[in-house]
Amino acid sequence: MAAATSTRTHTRVDIRAQRCGQQTVLARLAGGDLVRARPLPPAGSTARIALVQTAAALLHGDRIEMRVELGEDARLEITDIAAMVAHDGRGGTHATLQTTARLAPGAVFVWDAKPLVLCAGCSVRRTIALELAAGATALLRDTIVLGRPGHQVGI
């Protein structure tokens, strides 16, 4: 498969949640051209968000930056709708997935991410940075799959 040659997109997903009485409310929810954050019905006092891919990604040059900020005692659960596939990007700049989360005291953050599938020839940099205040909790699943059925394994 030939490498893609188009210029790609920088997407920022910005999520801020705070506690308001017994509920967590979304103070800010913004997405971009590659990924959008969509609110789901809450689960008790926990705000819930689905991350929805809105374009084919990850191709060389794609940049997805997600920022999560939770106020004191806020509770947030994020789910991905589908796995993300990093496609052949030989000859182009690497794709970037960068997640930063800041949790205030007592905040709870759960992200059961779908796998990141690495196809042969892909080039991806992925970082996840967490800043947890005293009493904050983060539970994250980060699964990497090397290749897809019927395709060469990516490394």
Side-chain angles (χ1 to χ4, degrees), residues 78-90:
I78 295 178
T79 187
D80 295 327
I81 297 301
M84 183 165 286
V85 179
H87 297 279
D88 183 352
R90 288 178 267 215

Side-chain angles (χ1 to χ4, degrees), residues 118-122 145-148 151-155:
L118 303 178
C119 293
C122 73
V145 175
L146 301 178
R148 306 190 282 197
H151 292 178
Q152 259 187 315
V153 173
I155 53 172

Side-chain angles (χ1 to χ4, degrees), residues 24 27 31-32 34 39-41 56 59 72 94:
T24 297
L34 298 175
L40 295 171
L59 299 175
E72 189 169 345
H94 63 271

Side-chain angles (χ1 to χ4, degrees), residues 8 34-35 53-59 62 64 83-87 97:
R8 294 300 295 172
L34 298 175
V35 176
Q53 296 175 49
T54 57
L58 288 164
L59 299 175
D62 283 348
I64 299 173
M84 183 165 286
V85 179
H87 297 279
L97 293 170

